Amino acid sequence: MRYFDPALKGFFQQRIEQIVAGICQSHGASYQLDYQEFYPPVINNRAIVNLVQSVAETVIETPAGIVPDCQTMGGEDMSYFLQAVPGCYFFLGSANLNKGLSYPHHHPRFDFDETALGIGVELFVRCVEKFCAPQTTAS
């Protein structure tokens, strides 16, 4: 079960249990629910999102540009990291229609435009520089 709001943790297991129990009871059946929780939702830190977005706006020069507030139901280990350290999970686009590199992940013909690697490195380096830069306060 995947969800965006951490407040929903436990809700779906309880609701599924209620629905399955009701259906089984009405049909004289029995069940055993094996609900396993895997990844919690990925919760980005707003300050880090703002930092990454401000840097990306200076680094990314593509027709698509920056796509803010994209949510995905992808399950990621990143959710555990973000529970421990403020951060931001983002995507670096690597499709290139001119090179025929537009298949989605997990497609047998997926490939990516390797020029995106340099953009990604530059984005990360500039984010680190901005994050580590001394903060000035207005006097």
Side-chain angles (χ1 to χ4, degrees), residues 41-103:
V42 174
I43 307 296
N44 289 325
N45 177 278
R46 178 49 55 190
I48 303 297
V49 168
N50 293 340
L51 181 145
V52 171
Q53 186 170 349
S54 70
V55 171
E57 288 169 350
T58 67
V59 173
I60 308 297
E61 297 176 10
T62 66
I66 308 301
V67 180
D69 302 324
C70 172
Q71 287 187 311
T72 176
M73 285 299 211
E76 293 291 336
D77 291 340
M78 187 69 174
S79 60
Y80 294 112
F81 298 134
L82 294 177
Q83 287 180 345
V85 177
C88 172
Y89 184 71
F90 62 91
F91 295 97
L92 178 65
S94 64
N96 186 327
L97 296 175
N98 295 330
K99 295 181 179 180
L101 304 173
S102 60
Y103 292 94

Side-chain angles (χ1 to χ4, degrees), residues 24-38:
C24 287
Q25 182 181 12
S26 68
H27 292 284
S30 62
Y31 72 97
Q32 180 178 352
L33 180 64
D34 181 15
Y35 184 94
Q36 298 177 18
E37 188 152 333
F38 292 103

